[in-house]
Structures are given as C-alpha cells and as structure tokens.
Amino acid sequence: MRKVAVSIRGFVKRFGSVVAVDGLNLDIFDGEIFGFLGPNGSGKSTTLLTIATVYKPSKGDVEVYGFSVTREGDAVRKLVGIAFQEPKALWVDNPYELLVWHAMVVGYSLTDARKVVREVMEELGLWEHRNKLFSELSGGTRKKVEIAKLFIQKPKLAIFDEPTAQLDVTTKHFVWGKIRDMNKEGSTIIVATNDMVEAERLSDRVGIIYRGTLRALGSPSELKDMIPGGDIIEIRVEGFINESILRKLGDILEARRLDLSNGVLKVYVNKGEERIATALDILTRENIKVRSVAMKEPSLDDVFFYFTGAKLEEVRG
Amino acid sequence: MKENIRALILVMLWDIRKLGRYKFFLVMRFTWFLVQVLIFGLLVAAMVSIRGPGGLLDYYKFYVIGAYTAVLFSISIMKGHDVAEELEDGLIDYQLSLPIERRILALGRALGGGLASFTYSAPMLFVTVIVLKVQNLIALSALVIISLLLAISISGLAVSIALILRSGDRLDILMGVSDSLLVRLSTIFYPVTALAAVAIYYYVAKVNPVSHAADMLRYVAEPGEFSGYVVADPLIMVSLIAGFAVASTVAAIVLLDRKIEGGYGR
C-alpha cells in the first residue's frame, strides 16, 4: 500500500458567500508528481495554500504526512514548501538577499546559504540580476526567483503553483527537468497548472478540478482511456472497403465510430495501441492493402472537456 | 529553543535588512525633525511660558523631547503600512508558509519592526541628546531602552491593526485617528500641569501610554527640570510602557497565531 503524503477529506473553503472548494476528497502519494489541472478560479490554488497552512479549511481537514494543517500547522510547515503563482517579494527587495534570507529560514547556515543561492541563481540565469531591485525585474525573472526558493529549500513536499507561467520555452524545459530531479531526490511534488503540456510532461497522476470540485483523477494515460473512443487509429488504404468489413472491424475492435473518407479509415477506440495489430490483421485477411497506419491519442485538453464540458482555453482566465 | 531563537532573529532581520532601502524617507523625517527643533521649537518656546511646581519650565527642552517622541511614534506606526503593503503583495502569505512557528513569526515582526523603527529614529535621538546635553551613560541607556519599548509597542499595535483591517485605505483612516488620539491627546507637546484645565484632555493624557513614554524620556534626560511635570510616578510610567509593549506584542502574536490566514482582499 502506498504511503499517503497529503490526505484531503471533505475539504470545503468558503470566502464569505463564495465557495472556492466544495467537498474535496483526495490522496496524494509519497514520491509522486501530482498535477493539479484546472483553470484560474477552479480552486486549485486555494487547495494548495491550505496544504501550505496559509489558509484554514472552513470544513473538513487536510493532513500532510499525518499532520493536520489545522491542529499541527508548525509540523506541516517543516515539511512543505511552496512557490506561489505570483512571485512574493517587496519592490525594494533584491533577489540575492531575499533568497539568502529564505535559505537561512529553511535551515542553511549563512555560508551554505550563500553557496546554494549562488548555484541555483546561476542555474536559472539569475546571477546577473542578483543586486537589482525586484521592481526592476521582468515578469519571467521574478517567476524564476520564486521557483528558486523551492530549488534551494528542497522540502519533503514541494508545491509549485503554475511554475512555468511567463517563462520562455528553454527555461520551461529546464524547470521541468529540475522539478523531476527534486522528485528523484525524494521530494513529493504537486504542480498546479492550466498548461496541458506541463501536466502531461510532469505528472504521474493528474487531478482535474473545476468549480471547486474534483472531476477526474488518474494518470494521464488512464484519463485519456476514460474517454470513450478517445484514440483514433488512422489507416490509409488502397481499394474499396465494403460495409460488412467495416461492421466486422467495428465489432472486433469495439469501435465507438468508424469514418471512411478519401481512402482514409478512422477508427475511434479505447486503448488504440492494443488494437492496431488486430485492425491490420482483419484488413490483410480481407485483402485490403494498407499504405500507412498512425494513431492519435486524445489530448488532456480533450480529457478536460470530457470531464467538465468546458474547453480549458475558454475558461482560462 | 535554539531553533526558535534563530528563527526569531531571522524574522527580525526581515524588517531590519530593509533599512538602507528607505533613504529618502529617512532624510525627509530627519529634515522635518531638524526644522521642528531648530526653527519651530525655538519660536514656540519663545511664545510659551509655563510655571509649574518646579518653577518656570524650559519649554524648548520639553518640546524637543516631544518632537522626538512624535517622530518615533510616526515612524513606528509606519510598520502598519509596511504590513498592509505586504498583505497586498502576498508577502504575509509567503511568511505564513515558512517553517517558522506562528508565535515566533509574530514576535519577530513586532520586535523587528520596533528595532527597525528605533534605528530609523536614532539620528533624531542623537540630535535630542546633543540639544539636551545628556552625558550620563545610565541616562543615555535608559533613553535608548524607553525609545525601543515605545517603538515595539507602537509597531506591535500597528501590525495588529493592519492584520485586522487587511486594507491599506482603512488602515490610513484608522492610523490618522490613532495619531490624533495618541499623539494629540498626550503630554507630547503639552505638560500635564497645563492640561489640567481641560478635564477630558487631562484624564485621557494621564492614561495614554504615549504620554508616559514622552514624560519618562524627559524624566530620564533631565530629572531636575522635568520631575514636576511628569504624568505619573517614574515606576508607574516604566511599568505602563513595558506593559503596553507586552500587550501589543501579545496581540500581534494571538492574531497571527489564531486568527489570521492569508489571502488579502478575500
């Protein structure tokens, strides 16, 4: 049985009359990278801030490695680190001093703090900005400073709230690599994102949250497989395929739909990778010449649409 | 214990490390203080004549300490604005997420705020000491301690109010009211003997901790000159100042520990 890092039971968070999270139940396992997928305002940041003890639940409880965020906040804070969606610094702060202070607060000696801060700042291309005022930094650079806090801290449970928003593609990939490294070194990771690619690239499991409730939970491939006929096997053929062959293909492959147009047969199935060989075998037996085969999986965007009825692009703030 | 002391020092550093960033603010305050002391104070002293139990009061010296107390008060109350700004920028959320016990965080912010405020006001204290020609080392130390206690009290109070209000605008209004009540209705600029003519004013000034701080500073600086003009017995004044510092710090601790959660504007 897998060890639970975060246990969320009946969690409700209200801000006045607004219900931000409504009865969330969720386990996040030790050692995994968990992707929290949802648009702005869906309740994911509220949940993460509660895990980090910044908010208190209105109802229910959240435990981190067995410690309640309500009753044992001090113990929880020793295990958790969070990189906020909006970088946290005053305009008069300079990145180097802020990060050294952060490093010392999380346990480094002054000498070690200076060393690790320099290493991380150099890795993230921040060193040249070390003495600038925070107000002089670009949005992307500020975001890097925020992420750097967790790369320095390496907590047991690291929470990244939209870690690569505002970052360029190269830095984005670098940050993903660093997050994976942290995970390999023993940190459990939670990544909140509204970026499908990020969720898919990083996460062992993804939770889709929308309007304060959890709509789906599973690995990216499990979630895709939950969409009926989500995989599309695309077969380019020569010659005519009659109705009976199509029916046979549909029955054997348990296809949700078949389309034939301009010599391209599209078969909508689940777990398409397991059905390609069967499809080819049927066509060969029926003397249909196959010119090419390709398979297209649904994107997490499709998954999000399936479970919420909304396109992530449409609801993204 | 050792871990908590380390955390406390680091939290205090949060406020202190920003000292060098507010040079303009410091220069403005110092200039204002010099104008008060070197021009306005002399003019007012020339116009005012107060006779008390100890004879004719040297109102200029009285005024200089009053001006110093007022500037220390207004610098300390700026801590409330700092905290309001930090709430707006989410810095309080960040601090609430750090591996620091909440009571240590609150204590550190109150003490750090007080220490930073005192440090800001140190050049003004220096001018005050020069003007009053205070040379006694014990008196100098006592001036520093009382100033520090007042700075911690007002910072703790300002931090608590900022945490309750969670709004820069509301804070501005309330701080204006606090300034009126605590500075104007005190013995900062008016000796308690002169206030006796207005009953309400007199009784408010008698219980106002700012009066006790200002008069204690006067008593320490020149006991011979001011002993007949203080608001209460020195022991009572010291107890009240220390009590005020403890009460406002405890209020900040309780608020941060039990009541406050992040999310400005929610």
Side-chain angles (χ1 to χ4, degrees):
Chain A
M1 195 171 163
R2 295 185 73 179
K3 187 178 170 187
V4 175
V6 180
S7 168
I8 302 172
R9 292 288 172 267
F11 169 53
V12 176
K13 184 63 193 174
R14 289 187 204 95
F15 297 101
S17 59
V18 177
V19 181
V21 181
D22 191 10
L24 182 66
N25 291 294
L26 175 67
D27 283 335
I28 295 169
F29 298 114
D30 182 46
E32 77 173 331
I33 301 182
F34 184 84
F36 228 156
L37 187 65
N40 295 337
S42 59
K44 57 186 192 310
S45 291
T46 301
T47 305
L48 300 186
L49 288 169
T50 307
I51 295 170
T53 78
V54 176
Y55 290 160
K56 293 170 184 168
S58 306
K59 202 175 161 192
D61 199 11
V62 176
E63 286 185 359
V64 177
Y65 288 99
F67 296 111
S68 161
V69 297
T70 319
R71 297 180 302 277
E72 297 155 300
D74 290 335
V76 171
R77 280 187 288 277
K78 285 181 180 162
L79 300 169
V80 180
I82 180 167
F84 291 85
Q85 187 179 344
E86 294 296 329
K88 304 299 183 197
L90 281 178
W91 66 273
V92 286
D93 281 323
N94 82 46
Y96 180 72
E97 280 183 17
L98 179 69
L99 290 175
V100 168
W101 185 84
H102 181 85
M104 290 183 73
V105 167
V106 300
Y108 289 94
S109 67
L110 179 60
T111 314
D112 289 346
R114 284 177 176 156
K115 192 168 164 245
V116 72
V117 166
R118 178 167 189 156
E119 280 169 15
V120 171
M121 287 187 91
E122 282 179 343
E123 275 182 341
L124 287 166
L126 286 170
W127 190 243
E128 62 185 290
H129 303 293
R130 64 189 177 281
N131 291 322
K132 288 181 182 168
L133 292 179
F134 211 72
S135 55
E136 295 168 346
L137 304 178
S138 68
T141 309
R142 290 180 192 188
K143 190 75 188 174
K144 285 192 220 172
V145 175
E146 185 63 27
I147 301 164
K149 289 177 187 167
L150 281 196
F151 292 156
I152 291 163
Q153 186 175 351
K154 295 182 179 166
K156 182 73 183 149
L157 175 66
I159 300 170
F160 292 90
D161 196 352
E162 302 196 12
T164 59
Q166 302 182 57
L167 296 185
D168 60 71
V169 177
T170 316
T171 313
K172 204 176 257 197
H173 282 268
F174 177 76
V175 168
W176 288 342
K178 286 288 287 181
I179 290 174
R180 279 192 214 98
D181 289 346
M182 269 182 82
N183 179 242
K184 280 177 197 157
E185 287 166 20
S187 293
T188 300
I189 311 277
I190 304 176
V191 178
T193 184
N194 57 23
D195 179 342
M196 293 293 179
V197 179
E198 183 163 81
E200 195 157 8
R201 291 273 179 95
L202 278 178
S203 314
D204 298 318
R205 287 193 310 146
V206 172
I208 293 177
I209 189 166
Y210 185 56
R211 293 184 177 166
T213 56
L214 190 70
R215 302 298 177 97
L217 179 67
S219 69
S221 63
E222 282 169 352
L223 291 177
K224 287 173 186 174
D225 286 340
M226 285 182 202
I227 301 179
D231 290 349
I232 305 166
I233 302 172
E234 224 174 68
I235 307 168
R236 190 173 290 275
V237 294
E238 269 180 23
F240 180 71
I241 303 180
N242 63 33
E243 212 35 57
S244 77
I245 298 172
L246 285 177
R247 210 174 301 118
K248 191 175 178 182
L249 271 170
D251 290 345
I252 294 173
L253 299 177
E254 297 174 4
R256 306 284 296 194
R257 193 172 131 201
L258 284 110
D259 288 338
L260 180 63
S261 171
N262 297 325
V264 179
L265 173 68
K266 287 184 179 175
V267 189
Y268 294 81
V269 292
N270 278 90
K271 300 189 176 177
E273 67 280 2
E274 293 172 13
R275 300 181 196 274
I276 290 176
T278 314
L280 293 178
D281 187 47
I282 293 166
L283 291 171
T284 311
R285 280 170 197 267
E286 297 291 342
N287 294 317
I288 308 286
K289 195 170 178 187
V290 174
R291 295 180 63 187
S292 67
V293 182
M295 199 187 83
K296 190 176 155 240
E297 287 186 319
S299 67
L300 269 181
D301 213 349
D302 299 326
V303 173
F304 185 82
F305 179 73
Y306 176 73
F307 286 107
T308 65
K311 279 276 182 193
L312 192 55
E313 281 302 325
E314 290 165 12
V315 290
R316 197 173 277 163
Chain B
M1 184 67 181
K2 196 178 162 189
E3 199 180 318
N4 280 342
I5 291 170
R6 184 178 189 272
L8 181 68
I9 293 167
L10 284 167
V11 176
M12 287 168 70
L13 278 173
W14 176 265
D15 287 296
I16 294 162
R17 75 195 170 91
K18 286 183 288 197
L19 281 173
R21 311 269 168 75
Y22 295 105
K23 293 184 191 86
F24 183 70
F25 170 79
L26 265 176
V27 170
M28 287 287 289
R29 291 282 165 177
F30 189 61
T31 308
W32 176 88
F33 182 74
L34 286 180
V35 170
Q36 289 284 106
V37 169
L38 299 178
I39 300 171
F40 201 68
L42 287 169
L43 285 171
V44 172
M47 293 187 285
V48 173
S49 172
I50 297 170
R51 187 168 292 278
L56 198 64
L57 172 71
D58 183 340
Y59 187 72
Y60 180 64
K61 286 181 178 175
F62 185 93
Y63 182 89
V64 170
I65 292 186
Y68 166 68
T69 312
V71 85
L72 180 59
F73 180 91
S74 80
I75 289 173
S76 303
I77 216 139
M78 280 296 293
K79 272 293 126 201
H81 291 274
D82 281 358
V83 168
E85 191 183 0
E86 289 180 22
L87 274 165
E88 284 176 24
D89 292 341
L91 264 294
I92 297 293
D93 287 10
Y94 166 58
Q95 291 187 350
L96 292 175
S97 75
L98 290 170
I100 300 170
E101 288 183 19
R102 290 279 161 87
R103 60 195 171 90
I104 300 293
L105 177 64
L107 184 63
R109 289 309 304 268
L111 294 181
L115 198 57
S117 302
F118 170 72
T119 312
Y120 277 132
S121 72
M124 281 72 106
L125 179 60
F126 181 71
V127 170
T128 306
V129 164
I130 298 289
V131 169
L132 270 71
K133 300 188 181 78
V134 182
Q135 291 169 339
N136 182 334
L137 204 62
I138 295 169
L140 283 171
S141 308
L143 285 175
V144 168
I145 291 166
I146 294 158
S147 302
L148 199 52
L149 280 174
L150 180 65
I152 289 168
S153 307
I154 304 299
S155 295
L157 185 72
V159 167
S160 302
I161 293 171
L163 288 173
I164 292 168
L165 295 181
R166 304 166 80 81
S167 153
D169 293 340
R170 276 182 279 173
L171 183 73
D172 280 340
I173 296 165
L174 200 79
M175 290 299 169
V177 174
S178 305
D179 187 73
S180 302
L181 289 175
L182 291 171
V183 176
R184 307 299 156 204
L185 300 180
S186 77
T187 58
I188 277 190
F189 293 119
Y190 322 111
V192 71
T193 48
L195 291 177
V198 189
I200 294 175
Y201 206 151
Y202 174 76
Y203 288 112
V204 173
K206 285 277 271 186
V207 294
N208 185 343
V210 179
S211 297
H212 289 258
D215 283 356
M216 191 63 206
L217 287 170
R218 290 185 181 110
Y219 181 81
V220 167
E222 286 213 22
E225 178 71 37
F226 295 117
S227 58
Y229 297 91
V230 291
V231 75
D233 180 80
L235 199 62
I236 293 173
M237 289 195 285
V238 168
S239 306
L240 210 136
I241 298 161
F244 186 39
V246 171
S248 62
T249 306
V250 168
I253 291 171
V254 170
L255 277 167
L256 258 178
D257 191 31
R258 305 218 178 127
K259 302 261 186 228
I260 297 302
E261 55 180 337
Y264 178 82
R266 288 280 199 176

